[in-house]
Amino acid sequence: MNATEDAASAMTAIVCRAPKDYRVEQVARPRAGRNELVIRIAACGICASDCKCWSGAKMFWGGPNPWVKAPVIPGHEFFGYVEELGEGAAEHFNVQLGERVIAEQIVPCEKCRYCRSGQYWMCEVHNIFGFQREVADGGMAQYMRFPPTAIVHKIPVGVSLEDAAIIEPLACAIHTVNRGDIQLDDVVVIAGAGPLGLMMVQVAHLKTPKKLVVIDLVDERLALAREYGADVTINPKSDDALGVVRSLTDQYGCDVYIETTGSPSGVTQGLDLIRKLGRFVEFSVFGSDTTTDWSIIGDRKELDVRGAHLGPYCYPIAIDLLARGLVTSKGIVTHGFTLEQWDEAIKVANSLDSIKVLLKPKN
């Protein structure tokens, strides 16, 4: 193989090898097999779960069967252009060369009880792009392969790069808000105004609840939440969250509490703020264990506690909302870096200096 052929068969990628050991490397460029495609990555977001994984959080690295199986190319908030189609892939995915596409973050096995019943996002095997390479690596690279069981969606031409880059987290936000079953007369509290929380604010606003309340420790993020439709914002450093919420609800508490802080205090706060028979939706990925008095859930309030995982059946909705301008990345996407700038990118993403950081490979 000559130098030109060797360069064409390699690509730049971030390789996760261990906590805080992520390296910019030259690796083999993926090739498309039967019913597979390869995309040229346009952008890949750095998620809060990527930051927790990088820092060594127990849920990613601990136990006898850790979620992360290194070495692996991380990244699940990606989209790109169809670069190569394997045999049968055009018909299998209904796509053509050059089209902008995204794959859902989970790669279903299509064999377990959850996949067979349509609940594919809870797949027992649970391969997710960017954490295990059994089926394929993630999107923090120049190119990426979609295996045959990937769930692929097209992205309309009019959707900007920044908007397209938030389709995955927006789908998660939509699923989470839907789990809250928001009604027109509900007082809804969203705890956490990070990227996901700010997207949830926009989606919840479209549900037109009676009052939409957002809690966060960063005033600049609360200002964005108000721009996105929050009626009331609370900074616990200076405001009495319980007093404010009770004043809005005849002292009962909120009807729906959505936890997306990633902090254990967000859970205990929610159990205080929510009314009896309320709906508590838990979305966050935590870096440490959460301890609380479970009698609040049962004996005292009889709460309806609901989890929210991934963005099942919500990618088409996310794409449509972005295409119609009903949800935006403006104000959320704050930084962009090349793959070669990884060390700076993860530092900024893991701080309050940013909201959403994108990696944009040089192709």
Side-chain angles (χ1 to χ4, degrees):
M1 181 181 294
N2 60 40
T4 301
E5 291 173 330
D6 187 55
S9 66
M11 69 172 183
T12 303
I14 308 301
V15 179
C16 161
R17 296 191 172 277
K20 296 187 180 180
D21 185 5
Y22 285 47
R23 308 175 192 177
V24 181
E25 297 185 9
Q26 291 296 302
V27 301
R29 176 174 161 177
R31 296 298 178 187
R34 178 173 176 77
N35 288 342
E36 295 182 340
L37 63 83
V38 170
I39 65 168
R40 173 171 53 85
I41 296 290
C44 183
I46 300 178
C47 176
S49 63
D50 292 316
C51 293
K52 288 184 172 70
C53 183
W54 173 85
S55 65
K58 183 174 68 174
M59 75 159 292
F60 295 99
W61 299 97
N65 188 30
W67 194 10
V68 180
K69 296 179 175 64
V72 63
I73 297 172
H76 57 275
E77 296 184 358
F78 53 79
F79 83 95
Y81 299 86
V82 178
E83 181 81 7
E84 179 188 346
L85 289 164
E87 180 185 354
E91 297 78 13
H92 181 70
F93 291 117
N94 188 29
V95 298
Q96 299 298 322
L97 289 173
E99 288 187 312
R100 290 200 305 174
V101 296
I102 186 171
E104 298 195 18
Q105 68 273 62
I106 192 164
V107 185
C109 73
E110 297 186 344
K111 297 176 181 179
C112 71
R113 64 178 293 178
Y114 303 108
C115 289
R116 293 198 310 270
S117 65
Q119 299 165 319
Y120 66 91
W121 69 102
M122 297 306 298
C123 172
E124 187 69 12
V125 179
H126 216 73
N127 281 318
I128 293 182
F129 287 117
F131 292 102
Q132 317 91 13
R133 69 186 336 163
E134 277 89 344
V135 291
D137 280 304
M140 294 185 187
Q142 290 179 291
Y143 298 91
M144 179 181 178
R145 179 177 61 87
F146 292 176
T149 59
I151 304 172
V152 177
H153 305 278
K154 297 180 185 180
I155 303 172
V157 173
V159 177
S160 71
L161 180 146
E162 289 77 15
D163 281 355
I166 69 164
I167 291 171
E168 186 276 336
L170 178 56
C172 294
I174 293 167
H175 178 55
T176 302
V177 170
N178 285 343
R179 291 285 283 159
D181 191 24
I182 294 172
Q183 303 299 309
L184 296 173
D185 60 347
D186 280 342
V187 173
V188 178
V189 173
I190 296 176
L196 265 298
L198 290 170
M199 292 178 214
M200 291 176 196
V201 173
Q202 297 183 66
V203 175
H205 177 62
L206 295 175
K207 300 279 189 178
T208 63
K210 181 179 179 180
K211 288 291 183 183
L212 179 56
V213 182
V214 179
I215 302 176
D216 199 86
L217 296 170
V218 181
D219 287 332
E220 292 79 7
R221 296 186 177 190
L222 292 175
L224 267 179
R226 291 191 293 272
E227 289 183 26
Y228 295 150
D231 299 299
V232 178
T233 56
I234 298 171
N235 187 329
K237 290 189 295 187
S238 55
D239 304 320
D240 176 7
L242 182 60
V244 172
V245 171
R246 285 187 172 175
S247 72
L248 297 171
T249 59
D250 294 326
Q251 302 302 312
Y252 286 105
C254 61
D255 304 282
V256 179
Y257 182 88
I258 297 176
E259 199 293 308
T260 183
T261 67
S263 169
S265 62
V267 176
T268 51
Q269 170 185 257
L271 295 176
D272 287 336
L273 298 185
I274 198 167
R275 66 167 172 85
K276 295 176 181 178
L277 302 175
R279 299 181 296 285
F280 189 118
V281 184
E282 180 54 65
F283 173 80
S284 292
V285 174
F286 293 93
S288 58
D289 293 342
T290 299
T291 302
T292 191
D293 178 5
W294 271 60
S295 61
I296 298 172
I297 297 169
D299 186 60
R300 285 174 53 191
K301 291 190 175 182
E302 196 174 322
L303 298 177
D304 189 350
V305 180
R306 306 177 179 185
H309 181 57
L310 307 186
Y313 301 107
C314 292
Y315 279 67
I317 301 171
I319 292 168
D320 177 65
L321 292 178
L322 291 165
R324 290 194 285 153
L326 295 175
V327 176
T328 181
S329 63
K330 186 177 181 181
I332 293 176
V333 174
T334 55
H335 293 75
F337 296 93
T338 65
L339 295 171
E340 290 79 4
Q341 295 171 311
W342 165 256
D343 288 339
E344 184 180 359
I346 189 62
K347 180 180 178 181
V348 172
N350 209 24
S351 74
L352 292 178
D353 296 331
S354 67
I355 298 180
K356 174 58 65 181
V357 174
L358 301 183
L359 293 173
K360 302 175 183 179
K362 293 185 289 186
N363 288 303

